[in-house]
Amino acid sequence: MSKDNNFRQKSNETEGNRINKKVSNLAIKVSKSTVIKQYIAITAGAFLMSAALVIYFNELGIVVGGVTGIAVILNNTLGTPMWIVNAAVNIPLFIIGYKTFEHQTFIKTVYGTAMLSFFLAVTPNVNLRTDSFPVNVVIGAFLMGMGLGLILSSDASSGGVDMVSTMISRKNKYVSIPEMMLFIDGVIILCAISFFGIVKGIYAVIALVIETKISDNIIKGFKRSKLIYIISPSYKELADYIVYVLERGVTYINIVGGYTNENRKMIMCVVSGRELVKIKQIIGRIDAKSVCFISDISEAFGEGFTKLT
């Protein structure tokens, strides 16, 4: 009996090692197929952030927090180039991040920070600003959020508060990176009010909220879908409409009514917002007494939805 148990244990360990090796090889293969796209996204994100800082925030005296916010303060008060501040402050953070981040994440973070410093040094201060101060703030926040979202969605960071927030988020799964950044940047904005005044501080808060919302949407995905459950005696007709007209897959779930104690079938499917409107219309025509539950999905992957790469 002991020999049999030892044999089974060794067999399970061998099988587990084989599966782990297969998964590991697959992960490496996926990483290689997406690494170019990630570095392109990081480069584009760094450029958008530098454009927001050089063309808008630095000229307007808007501090949205982070190392770049410190760079704006020092550039306006002491004339210190923003790229120097960004590079210098991030050096000790890299030392900490090297022990905290995965190897590939750390390399991409160093690259993102280097690209941001580079673009801060070379991006010309082209006057693309409008005559409206609030509009300029919104444009700057939009560019900043887009750039930050592209970097974070590539499993990287532009350094500074981004890096600190990413490290904290990895330790606490209940706190998202943009939420953590919102808190830290809020504290920095309060400190910056003494330099630029309460009015610009208020505008900075507005810009930070817009920036966080944009970056969070890029990370989670703009293509939000709807998860719908339908309970109806006419489930077959409704399912046929979804499958053959909308060309979406459905899943039947066996349920039991708590009041009638009858066996029923419930339809579950994931559709887009536009398709949901059509489904609600057809439900009203086929069975207006149907019971439906609808919830939001940040993003759906697979056939008919976002392509997995």
Side-chain angles (χ1 to χ4, degrees):
M1 181 66 70
S2 177
K3 291 182 178 179
D4 291 339
N5 290 336
N6 290 336
F7 176 76
R8 291 194 188 95
Q9 184 178 359
K10 290 181 179 180
S11 298
N12 291 335
E13 291 176 355
T14 303
E15 181 68 13
N17 291 336
R18 184 186 67 80
I19 295 174
N20 290 335
K21 184 177 181 181
K22 182 179 179 180
V23 172
S24 179
N25 291 336
L26 181 60
I28 294 174
K29 183 179 180 180
V30 172
S31 177
K32 289 181 178 179
S33 67
T34 60
V35 65
I36 295 178
K37 293 180 181 180
Q38 288 181 334
Y39 276 96
I40 292 175
I42 293 171
T43 304
F47 172 75
L48 290 173
M49 289 181 67
S50 68
L53 289 163
V54 173
I55 300 174
Y56 293 97
F57 289 162
N58 190 51
E59 290 296 315
L60 301 173
I62 297 297
V63 176
V64 292
V67 175
T68 55
I70 298 173
V72 170
I73 294 174
L74 294 180
N75 184 262
N76 278 268
T77 56
L78 302 178
T80 308
M82 288 190 292
W83 72 270
I84 292 180
V85 177
N86 187 68
V89 174
N90 278 292
I91 291 177
L93 294 177
F94 283 146
I95 298 175
I96 300 173
Y98 179 76
K99 300 178 181 179
T100 306
F101 283 64
E102 296 177 358
H103 180 65
Q104 290 297 326
T105 302
F106 179 75
I107 292 176
K108 285 184 285 187
T109 298
V110 172
Y111 177 79
T113 304
M115 284 294 98
L116 179 57
S117 296
F118 170 76
F119 284 124
L120 284 174
V122 301
T123 300
N125 185 8
V126 182
N127 188 7
L128 300 178
R129 296 175 293 278
T130 67
D131 295 331
S132 173
F133 190 90
V135 171
N136 291 329
V137 172
V138 172
I139 295 174
F142 183 84
L143 292 175
M144 196 75 170
M146 285 283 291
L148 182 59
L150 287 172
I151 293 175
L152 293 177
S153 63
S154 300
D155 191 30
S157 166
S158 61
V161 173
D162 308 349
M163 182 182 292
V164 175
S165 300
T166 302
M167 287 188 287
I168 294 175
S169 180
R170 286 176 180 270
K171 297 293 184 180
N172 189 344
K173 299 298 182 181
Y174 297 100
V175 179
S176 70
I177 296 173
E179 289 172 346
M180 195 65 239
M181 290 179 61
L182 182 63
F183 172 76
I184 299 175
D185 289 338
V187 174
I188 297 176
I189 289 174
L190 290 176
C191 297
I193 289 177
S194 60
F195 291 94
F196 299 105
I198 185 65
V199 174
K200 290 188 177 181
I202 294 174
Y203 276 113
V205 172
I206 296 173
L208 180 58
V209 172
I210 296 174
E211 172 193 330
T212 304
K213 186 66 176 178
I214 294 295
S215 63
D216 199 28
N217 273 310
I218 291 178
I219 295 171
K220 293 180 179 178
F222 280 104
K223 297 181 179 179
R224 297 180 184 270
S225 302
K226 300 291 184 178
L227 175 63
I228 179 170
Y229 296 95
I230 308 172
I231 303 175
S232 170
S234 305
Y235 68 90
K236 189 66 173 65
E237 292 88 340
L238 294 171
D240 287 344
Y241 174 80
I242 297 172
V243 172
Y244 298 111
V245 178
L246 298 182
E247 297 183 344
R248 290 294 190 188
V250 301
T251 299
Y252 291 135
I253 301 176
N254 294 321
I255 61 174
V256 179
Y259 180 75
T260 63
N261 211 29
E262 294 179 354
N263 293 322
R264 297 182 181 182
K265 286 189 181 294
M266 179 171 64
I267 299 173
M268 182 185 74
C269 62
V270 178
V271 297
S272 66
R274 180 176 296 181
E275 290 168 338
L276 177 62
V277 175
K278 297 179 180 178
I279 291 177
K280 290 168 69 176
Q281 291 174 348
I282 201 68
I283 290 175
R285 296 172 188 171
I286 296 177
D287 182 13
K289 294 183 179 180
S290 297
V291 178
C292 301
F293 308 97
I294 302 170
S295 61
D296 291 321
I297 299 177
S298 296
E299 191 169 3
F301 294 96
E303 185 176 355
F305 298 96
T306 304
K307 183 179 179 181
L308 286 168
T309 55

